[in-house]
Amino acid sequence: RDMDQILDAYENKKPFYLYTGRGPSSQAMHVGHLIPFMFTKWLQEVFDVPLVIQLTDDEKYLWKDMTIEKAYEYAKENAKDIIACGFDVNKTFIFSDLDYLGIVIIQLSAFTVTKEQISTCFSSALIKDDIVIMTSSPVCRSKISFPAIQAAPSFSSSFPQIFNGKENIQCLIPCAIDQDPYFRMTRDVAPRIGQPKPALLHSVFFPALQGAQTKMSASDPNSSIFLTDTPKQIKTKV
């Protein structure tokens, strides 16, 4: 989606940045999780641009049966796997939502403003159809607000410390195809809040060890090769 705009920006020496993420649902990532990150690393090397990586530990706390402490621990462990991919340390910002949103809310920075702007534009009916059925419980209200949190890094105003307060810098998002509903909504909202639409590059799922009909899943250890598996474990699984 709009990759031609990114290529035009590069040719005309206009700035843009990369944004991708990881939902830390397990202590270690598996090889399927690496596909978007390996591709993102290649894009960063080719274009020589900043990169932000969002760890959605808040999402996993809300949707998975885990404590906040466990979600945050998984985020830290997953960050180690991501760092090992070899991103440019001077142009890469990896953040946990539980960390960054806490800091931002205290400082009342642009991220909070952007998130609230997006929230008002995402209709609850649309989110209900695509994401979760709305109820009056605090957890479900948090679930309904989450798409705005995932959308906010698509806009450079969310990171004043990186872009020196510059807005309207376009974003390119390499991600797995299952994240597309979030960013379709983001692209719909962007013009309404005066921001450029993020461009997108999708990857398909990496097949499970059982065959191409399913994908590798962190919830099924026998379907996946994890980055922490020993050579013996990998041989046994294969």
Side-chain angles (χ1 to χ4, degrees):
R1 302 183 193 275
D2 288 341
M3 186 60 192
D4 58 319
Q5 294 180 11
I6 295 296
L7 296 176
D8 289 344
Y10 181 70
E11 288 181 350
N12 295 317
K13 296 182 169 51
K14 291 182 179 179
F16 65 92
Y17 70 102
L18 299 169
Y19 159 41
T20 193
R22 160 73 182 144
S25 57
S26 58
Q27 188 163 15
M29 291 166 54
H30 58 62
V31 295
H33 295 141
L34 282 184
I35 302 302
F37 289 104
M38 293 171 69
F39 185 41
T40 300
K41 178 179 182 292
W42 182 82
L43 290 170
Q44 187 183 47
E45 290 176 348
V46 168
F47 292 124
D48 191 26
V49 291
L51 162 66
V52 295
I53 300 175
Q54 181 183 46
L55 300 174
T56 55
D57 40 11
D58 55 340
E59 175 199 22
K60 295 308 173 186
Y61 162 69
L62 290 170
W63 264 275
K64 301 290 185 180
D65 184 19
M66 67 174 71
T67 63
I68 288 180
E69 291 77 15
K70 179 61 70 175
Y72 186 63
E73 176 191 341
Y74 283 173
K76 290 195 295 183
E77 292 303 314
N78 285 191
K80 296 176 184 177
D81 292 338
I82 294 168
I83 290 168
C85 291
F87 294 104
D88 185 338
V89 296
N90 296 312
K91 295 186 177 182
T92 303
F93 176 49
I94 304 176
F95 66 97
S96 144
D97 279 351
L98 291 174
D99 266 344
Y100 194 57
L101 283 174
I103 294 170
V104 165
I105 289 169
I106 291 170
Q107 295 179 343
L108 297 178
S109 78
F111 190 99
T112 306
V113 175
T114 303
K115 181 257 193 186
E116 293 303 324
Q117 287 176 323
I118 299 165
S119 292
T120 59
C121 292
F122 279 171
S123 75
S124 59
L126 177 60
I127 296 173
K128 180 175 67 174
D129 290 340
D130 279 4
I131 306 295
V132 65
I133 295 178
M134 186 192 300
T135 75
S136 60
S137 76
V139 169
C140 282
R141 286 199 300 270
S142 297
K143 288 180 178 180
I144 286 170
S145 73
F146 177 76
I149 294 174
Q150 181 160 327
S154 305
F155 307 121
S156 59
S157 57
S158 299
F159 305 101
Q161 78 280 25
I162 297 175
F163 300 106
N164 297 318
K166 292 181 180 178
E167 298 187 11
N168 298 319
I169 298 176
Q170 193 171 15
C171 173
L172 171 61
I173 306 173
C175 62
I177 189 64
D178 62 327
Q179 299 305 302
D180 190 50
Y182 286 104
F183 296 120
R184 287 204 311 272
M185 288 193 291
T186 304
R187 284 170 52 82
D188 288 343
V189 164
R192 296 164 61 184
I193 60 174
Q195 298 288 339
K197 291 183 178 183
L200 289 164
L201 286 171
H202 297 120
S203 64
V204 298
F205 291 130
F206 200 75
L209 293 174
Q210 286 78 7
Q213 294 76 23
T214 56
K215 68 181 182 73
M216 285 196 177
S217 171
S219 60
D220 182 2
N222 292 321
S223 73
S224 308
I225 294 175
F226 290 89
L227 304 188
T228 52
D229 283 348
T230 65
K232 183 178 180 181
Q233 287 174 313
I234 294 171
K235 183 178 180 181
T236 300
K237 287 183 179 182
V238 172

